Amino acid sequence: MFRVFIVFVAAITAFNATASSEAAWANGDKALQTACLKASGLTGAKAAGNIIHYGDDVGYSALLITGRYPQPFMHNKAGKALCLYQRATKKAVVQEADGLLGKV
């Protein structure tokens, strides 16, 4: 009887760990997107595609952002930015990526 109880507790624990892990990834993805959109500095910034998660040995995720340059001398030109998000520190760094994937 005790073994059945142990197996039952282990099964419930494993199920809860999986559920919280999925929720944690969803929350992490939302935090990544928010940080990247803000860091891009583009007007009307939005994600252009899906998040690319690198392995834990790398620790980064990437997201391509599109929007418009807000600087007056850019004349509201459409642009792209590549965001790298370090999952451990929750820090987003952005680099202009207009040449990535052809024309904007």
Side-chain angles (χ1 to χ4, degrees):
M1 183 69 168
F2 185 69
R3 284 184 181 166
V4 171
F5 177 72
I6 299 268
V7 170
F8 177 73
V9 169
I12 287 184
T13 303
F15 176 75
N16 286 338
T18 301
S20 66
S21 178
E22 290 173 13
W25 274 106
N27 288 340
D29 285 354
K30 184 173 177 131
L32 176 153
Q33 188 165 347
T34 300
C36 285
L37 294 176
K38 182 177 179 182
S40 76
L42 297 172
T43 303
K46 59 184 176 186
N50 296 325
I51 297 168
I52 300 168
H53 294 290
Y54 289 91
D56 287 340
D57 58 328
V58 175
Y60 282 90
S61 295
L63 182 63
L64 185 63
I65 308 290
T66 59
R68 299 204 165 269
Y69 290 108
Q71 299 88 347
F73 65 89
M74 293 298 286
H75 305 290
N76 203 32
K77 178 183 172 194
K80 289 186 248 181
L82 181 62
C83 177
L84 294 179
Y85 182 81
Q86 189 174 27
R87 294 187 302 266
T89 63
K90 297 178 177 28
K91 182 178 178 185
V93 291
V94 177
Q95 181 64 44
E96 174 271 322
D98 287 340
L100 189 65
L101 300 172
K103 291 182 98 178
V104 178

Coordinates of all heavy atoms in Angstrom, one line a residue:
M1 N 0.8 -1.2 0.0 CA 0.0 0.0 0.0 C 0.9 1.3 0.0 O 0.5 2.2 -0.7 CB -0.9 0.0 1.2 CG -1.9 1.1 1.3 SD -3.0 0.9 0.0 CE -4.2 2.1 0.4
F2 N 2.0 1.2 0.8 CA 2.8 2.4 0.8 C 3.5 2.6 -0.5 O 3.6 3.8 -0.9 CB 3.9 2.1 1.9 CG 4.8 3.3 2.1 CD1 4.3 4.5 2.7 CD2 6.1 3.3 1.7 CE1 5.1 5.6 2.9 CE2 6.9 4.4 1.9 CZ 6.4 5.5 2.5
R3 N 3.8 1.6 -1.3 CA 4.4 1.7 -2.6 C 3.4 2.4 -3.6 O 3.8 3.2 -4.4 CB 4.8 0.4 -3.2 CG 6.1 -0.2 -2.6 CD 6.5 -1.4 -3.3 NE 7.7 -2.0 -2.7 CZ 8.1 -3.2 -2.8 NH1 7.5 -4.0 -3.6 NH2 9.3 -3.6 -2.3
V4 N 2.2 2.0 -3.5 CA 1.2 2.7 -4.3 C 1.1 4.1 -4.0 O 1.0 5.0 -4.9 CB -0.2 2.0 -4.1 CG1 -1.3 2.7 -4.8 CG2 -0.2 0.5 -4.6
F5 N 1.1 4.5 -2.8 CA 1.1 5.9 -2.4 C 2.3 6.6 -2.9 O 2.2 7.8 -3.5 CB 1.1 6.0 -0.8 CG 1.1 7.4 -0.4 CD1 0.0 8.3 -0.5 CD2 2.2 8.0 0.2 CE1 0.0 9.6 -0.1 CE2 2.2 9.3 0.7 CZ 1.1 10.1 0.5
I6 N 3.5 6.1 -2.8 CA 4.7 6.7 -3.3 C 4.6 6.9 -4.9 O 4.9 8.0 -5.4 CB 5.9 5.8 -3.0 CG1 6.1 5.7 -1.5 CG2 7.2 6.4 -3.7 CD1 7.0 6.7 -0.9
V7 N 4.1 5.9 -5.6 CA 4.0 6.0 -7.0 C 3.0 7.1 -7.4 O 3.2 7.9 -8.3 CB 3.6 4.7 -7.7 CG1 3.2 4.8 -9.1 CG2 4.7 3.6 -7.5
F8 N 1.9 7.2 -6.6 CA 0.9 8.2 -6.9 C 1.4 9.6 -6.6 O 1.2 10.5 -7.4 CB -0.3 7.9 -5.9 CG -1.4 9.0 -6.0 CD1 -2.2 9.0 -7.2 CD2 -1.6 9.9 -5.0 CE1 -3.2 10.0 -7.3 CE2 -2.6 10.9 -5.1 CZ -3.4 10.9 -6.3
V9 N 2.2 9.8 -5.6 CA 2.8 11.1 -5.3 C 3.8 11.4 -6.3 O 3.8 12.6 -6.8 CB 3.4 11.1 -3.8 CG1 4.2 12.3 -3.6 CG2 2.3 11.0 -2.8
A10 N 4.6 10.5 -6.8 CA 5.6 10.8 -7.8 C 4.9 11.2 -9.1 O 5.4 12.1 -9.8 CB 6.5 9.5 -8.0
A11 N 3.8 10.5 -9.5 CA 3.1 10.8 -10.7 C 2.5 12.2 -10.6 O 2.6 13.0 -11.6 CB 2.0 9.8 -10.9
I12 N 1.9 12.6 -9.5 CA 1.3 13.9 -9.4 C 2.4 15.0 -9.4 O 2.3 16.0 -10.1 CB 0.5 14.0 -8.1 CG1 -0.8 13.2 -8.3 CG2 0.2 15.4 -7.7 CD1 -1.7 13.3 -7.2
T13 N 3.5 14.7 -8.8 CA 4.7 15.7 -8.8 C 5.2 15.9 -10.2 O 5.5 17.0 -10.6 CB 5.8 15.2 -7.8 OG1 5.2 15.0 -6.5 CG2 6.9 16.2 -7.8
A14 N 5.4 14.8 -10.9 CA 5.9 14.9 -12.3 C 4.9 15.7 -13.2 O 5.3 16.5 -14.0 CB 6.1 13.5 -12.9
F15 N 3.6 15.4 -13.0 CA 2.6 16.2 -13.8 C 2.6 17.7 -13.5 O 2.6 18.5 -14.4 CB 1.2 15.6 -13.5 CG 0.1 16.4 -14.2 CD1 -0.1 16.3 -15.5 CD2 -0.7 17.3 -13.5 CE1 -1.1 17.0 -16.2 CE2 -1.7 18.0 -14.1 CZ -1.9 17.9 -15.5
N16 N 2.7 18.0 -12.2 CA 2.8 19.4 -11.8 C 4.1 20.1 -12.3 O 4.0 21.2 -12.7 CB 2.7 19.6 -10.3 CG 1.3 19.3 -9.8 OD1 0.3 19.5 -10.6 ND2 1.1 19.0 -8.5
A17 N 5.2 19.4 -12.3 CA 6.4 19.9 -12.8 C 6.3 20.2 -14.3 O 6.8 21.3 -14.7 CB 7.6 19.0 -12.5
T18 N 5.7 19.4 -15.0 CA 5.5 19.6 -16.5 C 4.6 20.8 -16.7 O 4.9 21.7 -17.5 CB 4.9 18.3 -17.1 OG1 5.8 17.3 -16.9 CG2 4.7 18.6 -18.6
A19 N 3.5 20.9 -16.0 CA 2.6 22.0 -16.1 C 3.2 23.3 -15.8 O 3.1 24.3 -16.5 CB 1.3 21.7 -15.3
S20 N 4.0 23.4 -14.7 CA 4.6 24.6 -14.3 C 5.7 25.0 -15.3 O 6.0 26.1 -15.5 CB 5.1 24.6 -12.9 OG 6.1 23.6 -12.8
S21 N 6.4 24.0 -15.8 CA 7.4 24.2 -16.8 C 6.9 24.9 -18.0 O 7.4 25.8 -18.6 CB 8.1 22.9 -17.2 OG 9.1 23.2 -18.1
E22 N 5.7 24.4 -18.5 CA 5.1 25.0 -19.7 C 4.6 26.5 -19.4 O 4.8 27.4 -20.2 CB 3.9 24.2 -20.1 CG 4.3 22.9 -20.8 CD 3.1 22.0 -21.1 OE1 2.0 22.5 -21.0 OE2 3.4 20.8 -21.4
A23 N 4.1 26.7 -18.2 CA 3.7 28.0 -17.8 C 4.9 28.9 -17.6 O 4.9 30.1 -18.0 CB 2.9 28.0 -16.5
A24 N 6.0 28.4 -17.1 CA 7.2 29.2 -17.0 C 7.8 29.6 -18.3 O 8.2 30.7 -18.5 CB 8.3 28.4 -16.2
W25 N 7.7 28.7 -19.3 CA 8.2 29.0 -20.7 C 7.3 30.1 -21.3 O 7.8 31.0 -21.9 CB 8.2 27.8 -21.6 CG 9.5 27.0 -21.5 CD1 9.7 25.8 -20.8 CD2 10.8 27.4 -22.0 NE1 11.0 25.5 -20.9 CE2 11.7 26.4 -21.6 CE3 11.2 28.5 -22.7 CZ2 13.0 26.5 -22.0 CZ3 12.6 28.6 -23.1 CH2 13.5 27.6 -22.7
A26 N 6.0 30.0 -21.1 CA 5.1 31.0 -21.6 C 5.3 32.4 -21.0 O 5.4 33.4 -21.7 CB 3.6 30.6 -21.4
N27 N 5.6 32.4 -19.7 CA 5.9 33.6 -19.0 C 7.2 34.2 -19.4 O 7.4 35.4 -19.6 CB 5.9 33.4 -17.5 CG 4.5 33.2 -16.9 OD1 3.5 33.6 -17.5 ND2 4.4 32.6 -15.7
G28 N 8.2 33.3 -19.6 CA 9.5 33.7 -20.1 C 9.4 34.3 -21.5 O 10.1 35.3 -21.8
D29 N 8.6 33.7 -22.4 CA 8.5 34.2 -23.7 C 7.8 35.5 -23.8 O 8.2 36.4 -24.5 CB 7.6 33.2 -24.6 CG 8.4 32.0 -25.0 OD1 9.6 31.9 -24.7 OD2 7.8 31.0 -25.6
K30 N 6.9 35.7 -22.9 CA 6.2 37.0 -22.8 C 7.2 38.1 -22.3 O 7.2 39.2 -22.9 CB 5.0 37.0 -21.9 CG 4.2 38.2 -21.8 CD 2.9 38.1 -21.1 CE 2.2 39.4 -21.0 NZ 0.8 39.4 -21.4
A31 N 8.0 37.8 -21.3 CA 9.0 38.7 -20.8 C 10.0 39.0 -21.9 O 10.4 40.2 -22.0 CB 9.7 38.1 -19.6
L32 N 10.4 38.0 -22.6 CA 11.4 38.2 -23.7 C 10.8 39.2 -24.7 O 11.5 40.2 -25.1 CB 11.7 36.9 -24.4 CG 12.6 36.9 -25.6 CD1 13.3 35.5 -25.7 CD2 11.9 37.1 -26.9
Q33 N 9.6 38.9 -25.2 CA 9.0 39.8 -26.2 C 8.8 41.2 -25.7 O 9.1 42.2 -26.5 CB 7.6 39.2 -26.7 CG 7.1 40.0 -27.9 CD 5.9 39.2 -28.5 OE1 5.7 38.0 -28.3 NE2 5.2 39.9 -29.4
T34 N 8.4 41.4 -24.5 CA 8.2 42.8 -24.0 C 9.6 43.5 -23.9 O 9.7 44.6 -24.3 CB 7.6 42.7 -22.5 OG1 6.3 42.1 -22.6 CG2 7.5 44.1 -21.9
A35 N 10.6 42.8 -23.4 CA 11.9 43.4 -23.3 C 12.5 43.7 -24.7 O 13.1 44.8 -24.9 CB 12.9 42.5 -22.5
C36 N 12.3 42.8 -25.6 CA 12.9 43.1 -27.0 C 12.2 44.2 -27.7 O 12.8 45.0 -28.3 CB 12.8 41.8 -27.8 SG 14.1 40.5 -27.3
L37 N 10.9 44.3 -27.6 CA 10.1 45.3 -28.3 C 10.5 46.7 -27.7 O 10.7 47.6 -28.4 CB 8.6 45.1 -28.1 CG 8.1 43.9 -28.9 CD1 6.6 43.7 -28.6 CD2 8.3 44.0 -30.3
K38 N 10.7 46.7 -26.4 CA 11.1 48.0 -25.7 C 12.5 48.4 -26.1 O 12.8 49.5 -26.4 CB 11.0 47.9 -24.2 CG 11.3 49.1 -23.5 CD 11.1 48.9 -22.0 CE 11.5 50.2 -21.2 NZ 11.4 50.1 -19.8
A39 N 13.4 47.4 -26.1 CA 14.8 47.7 -26.4 C 15.1 48.1 -27.9 O 16.0 48.8 -28.2 CB 15.7 46.4 -26.1
S40 N 14.2 47.7 -28.7 CA 14.4 47.9 -30.2 C 14.3 49.4 -30.4 O 15.0 49.9 -31.4 CB 13.3 47.2 -31.0 OG 12.0 47.9 -30.9
G41 N 13.5 50.2 -29.7 CA 13.4 51.6 -30.0 C 12.6 51.9 -31.2 O 12.4 53.1 -31.6
L42 N 12.1 50.9 -31.9 CA 11.3 51.2 -33.1 C 9.9 51.6 -32.8 O 9.3 51.1 -31.8 CB 11.3 49.9 -34.0 CG 12.6 49.5 -34.5 CD1 12.5 48.1 -35.2 CD2 13.2 50.5 -35.5
T43 N 9.3 52.4 -33.6 CA 7.9 52.8 -33.4 C 7.1 51.7 -34.0 O 7.4 51.2 -35.1 CB 7.6 54.1 -34.2 OG1 8.5 55.1 -33.7 CG2 6.2 54.6 -34.0
G44 N 6.0 51.4 -33.3 CA 5.1 50.3 -33.8 C 5.8 49.0 -33.9 O 5.5 48.1 -34.7
A45 N 6.8 48.7 -33.0 CA 7.5 47.5 -33.0 C 6.6 46.3 -32.8 O 5.7 46.3 -32.0 CB 8.6 47.5 -31.9
K46 N 6.9 45.2 -33.6 CA 6.2 43.9 -33.4 C 7.2 42.8 -33.8 O 8.1 43.0 -34.5 CB 4.9 43.9 -34.2 CG 5.1 44.1 -35.7 CD 3.8 44.1 -36.4 CE 4.0 44.4 -37.9 NZ 2.7 44.6 -38.6
A47 N 6.9 41.7 -33.2 CA 7.7 40.5 -33.5 C 7.4 40.0 -34.9 O 6.3 40.0 -35.4 CB 7.3 39.3 -32.5
A48 N 8.5 39.7 -35.6 CA 8.4 39.2 -37.0 C 8.8 37.8 -37.0 O 10.0 37.4 -37.3 CB 9.3 40.0 -37.9
G49 N 7.9 36.9 -36.6 CA 8.3 35.5 -36.6 C 8.3 34.9 -35.2 O 7.8 35.6 -34.2
N50 N 8.8 33.7 -35.0 CA 8.8 33.1 -33.7 C 10.1 33.3 -33.0 O 11.1 33.6 -33.6 CB 8.6 31.6 -33.9 CG 7.2 31.3 -34.5 OD1 6.2 31.9 -34.2 ND2 7.1 30.3 -35.4
I51 N 10.1 33.1 -31.7 CA 11.3 33.2 -30.9 C 12.1 31.9 -31.2 O 11.6 30.8 -31.3 CB 10.9 33.2 -29.4 CG1 10.1 34.5 -29.1 CG2 12.1 33.1 -28.5 CD1 9.4 34.5 -27.7
I52 N 13.4 32.2 -31.2 CA 14.4 31.0 -31.4 C 15.1 30.9 -30.1 O 15.8 31.8 -29.6 CB 15.4 31.3 -32.5 CG1 14.6 31.6 -33.9 CG2 16.4 30.2 -32.7 CD1 15.5 32.1 -35.0
H53 N 14.9 29.7 -29.5 CA 15.5 29.4 -28.2 C 16.8 28.6 -28.4 O 16.7 27.5 -29.0 CB 14.6 28.7 -27.3 CG 13.4 29.4 -26.8 ND1 13.5 30.5 -26.0 CD2 12.1 29.3 -27.1 CE1 12.3 31.0 -25.7 NE2 11.4 30.3 -26.4
Y54 N 17.9 29.1 -28.0 CA 19.2 28.3 -28.1 C 19.2 27.5 -26.8 O 18.5 27.8 -25.8 CB 20.4 29.3 -28.2 CG 20.5 29.9 -29.5 CD1 19.9 31.1 -29.8 CD2 21.1 29.3 -30.6 CE1 19.9 31.7 -31.1 CE2 21.2 29.8 -31.9 CZ 20.6 31.1 -32.1 OH 20.7 31.6 -33.3
G55 N 20.1 26.5 -26.8 CA 20.2 25.6 -25.6 C 20.7 26.3 -24.4 O 21.2 27.5 -24.4
D56 N 20.6 25.7 -23.3 CA 21.0 26.2 -22.0 C 22.5 26.5 -21.9 O 22.9 27.3 -21.2 CB 20.5 25.4 -20.8 CG 19.0 25.4 -20.6 OD1 18.4 26.4 -21.0 OD2 18.5 24.5 -20.0
D57 N 23.3 25.7 -22.7 CA 24.7 26.0 -22.8 C 25.0 27.3 -23.4 O 26.0 28.0 -23.0 CB 25.4 24.9 -23.5 CG 24.9 24.7 -24.9 OD1 23.7 24.9 -25.2 OD2 25.7 24.3 -25.8
V58 N 24.1 27.9 -24.2 CA 24.3 29.2 -24.8 C 23.6 30.2 -23.9 O 24.1 31.3 -23.6 CB 23.8 29.2 -26.2 CG1 23.8 30.6 -26.8 CG2 24.5 28.2 -27.1
G59 N 22.3 29.9 -23.6 CA 21.6 30.8 -22.6 C 20.9 31.9 -23.3 O 20.4 32.8 -22.6
Y60 N 20.8 32.0 -24.6 CA 20.2 33.1 -25.3 C 18.9 32.6 -26.1 O 18.9 31.5 -26.5 CB 21.1 33.8 -26.2 CG 22.1 34.7 -25.6 CD1 23.3 34.2 -25.1 CD2 21.8 36.1 -25.4 CE1 24.3 35.1 -24.5 CE2 22.7 36.9 -24.8 CZ 23.9 36.4 -24.4 OH 24.8 37.3 -23.8
S61 N 18.1 33.6 -26.3 CA 17.0 33.4 -27.2 C 17.0 34.6 -28.2 O 17.5 35.7 -27.8 CB 15.6 33.4 -26.5 OG 15.5 32.3 -25.7
A62 N 16.5 34.4 -29.4 CA 16.6 35.5 -30.4 C 15.2 35.8 -31.0 O 14.3 34.9 -31.1 CB 17.5 35.1 -31.5
L63 N 15.0 37.0 -31.3 CA 13.7 37.4 -31.9 C 13.9 38.6 -32.9 O 14.6 39.5 -32.6 CB 12.7 37.9 -30.8 CG 11.3 38.3 -31.2 CD1 10.6 37.2 -31.9 CD2 10.6 38.9 -30.1
L64 N 13.4 38.5 -34.1 CA 13.4 39.5 -35.1 C 12.3 40.5 -34.9 O 11.1 40.0 -34.7 CB 13.4 38.9 -36.5 CG 13.6 39.9 -37.6 CD1 15.0 40.5 -37.6 CD2 13.4 39.2 -39.0
I65 N 12.6 41.8 -34.9 CA 11.6 42.8 -34.6 C 11.5 43.7 -35.8 O 12.5 44.0 -36.5 CB 12.0 43.7 -33.4 CG1 12.4 42.9 -32.2 CG2 11.0 44.8 -33.1 CD1 11.2 42.2 -31.5
T66 N 10.3 44.1 -36.2 CA 10.1 45.1 -37.3 C 9.3 46.3 -36.7 O 8.6 46.2 -35.7 CB 9.2 44.5 -38.4 OG1 8.0 44.1 -38.0 CG2 10.0 43.3 -39.1
G67 N 9.5 47.4 -37.4 CA 8.8 48.6 -37.0 C 9.4 49.8 -37.8 O 9.8 49.6 -38.9
R68 N 9.3 51.0 -37.3 CA 9.7 52.2 -38.0 C 10.7 53.0 -37.1 O 10.5 53.1 -35.9 CB 8.5 53.0 -38.4 CG 7.6 52.3 -39.3 CD 6.8 53.2 -40.2 NE 6.1 52.5 -41.3 CZ 6.7 52.3 -42.5 NH1 7.8 52.9 -42.8 NH2 6.0 51.7 -43.4
Y69 N 11.7 53.5 -37.8 CA 12.7 54.3 -37.1 C 12.1 55.6 -36.6 O 11.5 56.3 -37.4 CB 13.9 54.6 -37.9 CG 14.8 53.3 -38.2 CD1 14.8 52.7 -39.4 CD2 15.5 52.8 -37.2 CE1 15.5 51.6 -39.7 CE2 16.3 51.7 -37.4 CZ 16.3 51.1 -38.6 OH 17.0 49.9 -38.9
P70 N 12.2 56.0 -35.3 CA 11.6 57.2 -34.8 C 12.4 58.5 -35.0 O 11.8 59.6 -34.9 CB 11.5 56.9 -33.3 CG 12.6 56.0 -33.0 CD 12.8 55.2 -34.3
Q71 N 13.7 58.3 -35.4 CA 14.5 59.5 -35.6 C 14.0 60.4 -36.8 O 13.7 59.8 -37.8 CB 16.0 59.1 -35.8 CG 16.6 58.4 -34.6 CD 16.3 56.9 -34.7 OE1 15.6 56.4 -35.5 NE2 17.0 56.1 -33.9
P72 N 13.9 61.7 -36.6 CA 13.4 62.5 -37.7 C 14.2 62.4 -39.0 O 13.6 62.4 -40.1 CB 13.6 64.0 -37.1 CG 13.6 63.8 -35.7 CD 14.2 62.5 -35.4
F73 N 15.5 62.2 -38.9 CA 16.4 62.1 -40.1 C 16.1 60.8 -40.9 O 16.5 60.6 -42.0 CB 17.8 62.3 -39.8 CG 18.4 61.2 -38.9 CD1 19.0 60.1 -39.5 CD2 18.5 61.4 -37.6 CE1 19.5 59.1 -38.7 CE2 19.0 60.4 -36.8 CZ 19.5 59.2 -37.3
M74 N 15.5 59.8 -40.2 CA 15.2 58.5 -40.9 C 13.8 58.6 -41.6 O 13.5 57.6 -42.4 CB 15.1 57.4 -39.8 CG 16.5 57.1 -39.2 SD 17.7 56.6 -40.4 CE 17.2 54.9 -40.7
H75 N 13.1 59.7 -41.5 CA 11.9 59.9 -42.2 C 10.9 58.7 -42.1 O 10.3 58.3 -43.1 CB 12.2 60.2 -43.7 CG 13.1 61.3 -43.9 ND1 12.7 62.6 -43.6 CD2 14.4 61.4 -44.2 CE1 13.8 63.4 -43.8 NE2 14.8 62.7 -44.2
N76 N 10.7 58.2 -40.9 CA 9.8 57.1 -40.6 C 10.0 55.8 -41.5 O 9.1 55.1 -41.8 CB 8.3 57.6 -40.9 CG 7.3 56.8 -40.1 OD1 7.6 56.3 -39.0 ND2 6.1 56.6 -40.7
K77 N 11.3 55.6 -41.8 CA 11.7 54.5 -42.6 C 11.4 53.1 -41.9 O 11.6 53.1 -40.7 CB 13.2 54.6 -43.0 CG 13.7 53.4 -43.8 CD 15.2 53.5 -44.0 CE 15.7 52.2 -44.6 NZ 17.2 52.2 -44.5
A78 N 10.9 52.1 -42.6 CA 10.7 50.8 -42.0 C 12.1 50.2 -41.7 O 13.1 50.4 -42.4 CB 9.9 49.9 -42.9
G79 N 12.1 49.5 -40.6 CA 13.4 48.8 -40.2 C 13.2 47.5 -39.5 O 12.1 47.2 -39.1
K80 N 14.3 46.8 -39.3 CA 14.3 45.6 -38.6 C 15.4 45.6 -37.5 O 16.5 46.3 -37.7 CB 14.6 44.4 -39.5 CG 13.5 44.0 -40.5 CD 13.9 42.8 -41.3 CE 14.1 43.2 -42.7 NZ 14.5 42.0 -43.5
A81 N 15.2 44.9 -36.5 CA 16.2 44.8 -35.4 C 16.2 43.3 -34.9 O 15.2 42.7 -34.8 CB 15.9 45.7 -34.3
L82 N 17.4 42.8 -34.7 CA 17.6 41.5 -34.1 C 17.8 41.6 -32.6 O 18.8 42.3 -32.2 CB 18.7 40.7 -34.8 CG 19.0 39.3 -34.3 CD1 17.7 38.4 -34.6 CD2 20.2 38.7 -34.9
C83 N 17.0 41.0 -31.8 CA 17.1 41.0 -30.4 C 17.7 39.7 -29.9 O 17.2 38.6 -30.2 CB 15.8 41.3 -29.8 SG 15.8 41.3 -27.9
L84 N 18.7 39.8 -29.0 CA 19.2 38.6 -28.3 C 18.9 38.9 -26.8 O 19.2 39.9 -26.3 CB 20.7 38.5 -28.5 CG 21.2 38.2 -29.8 CD1 22.8 38.1 -29.9 CD2 20.6 36.9 -30.4
Y85 N 18.2 37.9 -26.3 CA 17.7 37.9 -24.9 C 18.5 36.9 -24.0 O 18.4 35.7 -24.3 CB 16.2 37.7 -24.9 CG 15.6 37.8 -23.5 CD1 15.2 39.0 -23.0 CD2 15.2 36.6 -22.8 CE1 14.6 39.1 -21.8 CE2 14.6 36.7 -21.6 CZ 14.2 38.0 -21.1 OH 13.6 38.0 -19.9
Q86 N 19.2 37.4 -23.0 CA 19.9 36.4 -22.1 C 18.9 36.0 -21.1 O 18.5 36.8 -20.2 CB 21.1 37.1 -21.5 CG 22.0 36.1 -20.8 CD 23.3 36.7 -20.3 OE1 23.4 37.9 -20.1 NE2 24.3 35.9 -20.2
R87 N 18.6 34.7 -21.1 CA 17.5 34.2 -20.2 C 17.9 34.3 -18.7 O 17.1 34.6 -17.9 CB 17.1 32.8 -20.5 CG 16.5 32.7 -21.9 CD 15.9 31.3 -22.2 NE 16.9 30.3 -22.2 CZ 17.6 29.8 -23.2 NH1 17.4 30.3 -24.4 NH2 18.5 28.9 -23.1
A88 N 19.2 34.1 -18.4 CA 19.6 34.1 -17.0 C 19.5 35.5 -16.4 O 19.1 35.7 -15.2 CB 21.0 33.6 -16.9
T89 N 19.8 36.6 -17.1 CA 19.8 37.9 -16.6 C 18.5 38.7 -17.0 O 18.3 39.8 -16.5 CB 21.0 38.7 -17.1 OG1 21.0 38.8 -18.5 CG2 22.3 38.0 -16.6
K90 N 17.8 38.1 -18.0 CA 16.6 38.8 -18.5 C 17.0 40.1 -19.2 O 16.2 41.1 -19.2 CB 15.5 39.0 -17.5 CG 15.0 37.6 -16.9 CD 14.0 37.9 -15.8 CE 13.4 36.6 -15.3 NZ 14.1 35.4 -15.2
K91 N 18.1 40.2 -19.8 CA 18.6 41.4 -20.5 C 18.5 41.2 -22.0 O 18.9 40.2 -22.6 CB 20.0 41.6 -20.1 CG 20.6 42.9 -20.7 CD 22.0 43.2 -20.3 CE 22.5 44.5 -21.0 NZ 23.9 44.7 -20.7
A92 N 17.9 42.2 -22.6 CA 17.8 42.2 -24.1 C 18.7 43.2 -24.7 O 18.9 44.3 -24.2 CB 16.3 42.6 -24.5
V93 N 19.4 42.8 -25.7 CA 20.3 43.6 -26.5 C 19.9 43.6 -28.0 O 19.4 42.5 -28.5 CB 21.8 43.3 -26.4 CG1 22.3 43.5 -25.0 CG2 22.0 41.8 -26.8
V94 N 19.9 44.7 -28.6 CA 19.3 44.8 -30.0 C 20.3 45.4 -30.9 O 21.1 46.3 -30.6 CB 18.1 45.7 -29.9 CG1 17.5 45.9 -31.3 CG2 17.0 45.2 -29.0
Q95 N 20.3 44.9 -32.2 CA 21.2 45.4 -33.2 C 20.4 45.6 -34.5 O 19.5 44.7 -34.8 CB 22.3 44.4 -33.5 CG 23.3 44.8 -34.6 CD 24.1 46.1 -34.2 OE1 24.5 46.2 -33.1 NE2 24.2 47.0 -35.1
E96 N 20.6 46.7 -35.2 CA 19.9 46.9 -36.5 C 20.1 45.7 -37.4 O 21.2 45.2 -37.4 CB 20.5 48.2 -37.1 CG 20.0 48.5 -38.4 CD 20.8 47.9 -39.5 OE1 22.0 47.9 -39.4 OE2 20.2 47.5 -40.5
A97 N 19.1 45.3 -38.1 CA 19.2 44.1 -38.9 C 18.5 44.3 -40.3 O 17.8 43.4 -40.8 CB 18.6 42.9 -38.2
D98 N 18.5 45.5 -40.8 CA 17.8 45.8 -42.1 C 18.3 44.9 -43.2 O 17.5 44.6 -44.1 CB 18.0 47.3 -42.5 CG 17.2 48.2 -41.6 OD1 16.3 47.7 -40.9 OD2 17.5 49.4 -41.5
G99 N 19.6 44.5 -43.2 CA 20.1 43.6 -44.2 C 19.7 42.2 -44.1 O 19.9 41.4 -45.0
L100 N 19.1 41.8 -43.0 CA 18.7 40.4 -42.7 C 17.4 40.1 -43.5 O 16.5 40.8 -43.4 CB 18.5 40.2 -41.2 CG 18.3 38.8 -40.7 CD1 19.5 38.0 -41.0 CD2 18.0 38.8 -39.3
L101 N 17.4 39.1 -44.3 CA 16.3 38.6 -45.0 C 15.8 39.6 -46.1 O 14.6 39.7 -46.3 CB 15.1 38.3 -44.1 CG 15.3 37.2 -43.0 CD1 14.2 37.2 -42.1 CD2 15.6 35.9 -43.7
G102 N 16.7 40.3 -46.7 CA 16.3 41.1 -47.8 C 15.7 42.4 -47.4 O 15.9 42.9 -46.3
K103 N 14.8 43.0 -48.3 CA 14.2 44.3 -48.1 C 13.2 44.2 -46.9 O 12.6 43.2 -46.7 CB 13.5 44.8 -49.3 CG 14.5 45.2 -50.4 CD 13.8 45.7 -51.6 CE 13.8 47.2 -51.6 NZ 13.2 47.8 -52.7
V104 N 12.9 45.4 -46.3 CA 11.9 45.5 -45.3 C 10.6 45.6 -45.9 O 10.3 46.2 -46.8 CB 12.2 46.8 -44.4 CG1 11.1 46.9 -43.4 CG2 13.6 46.7 -43.8

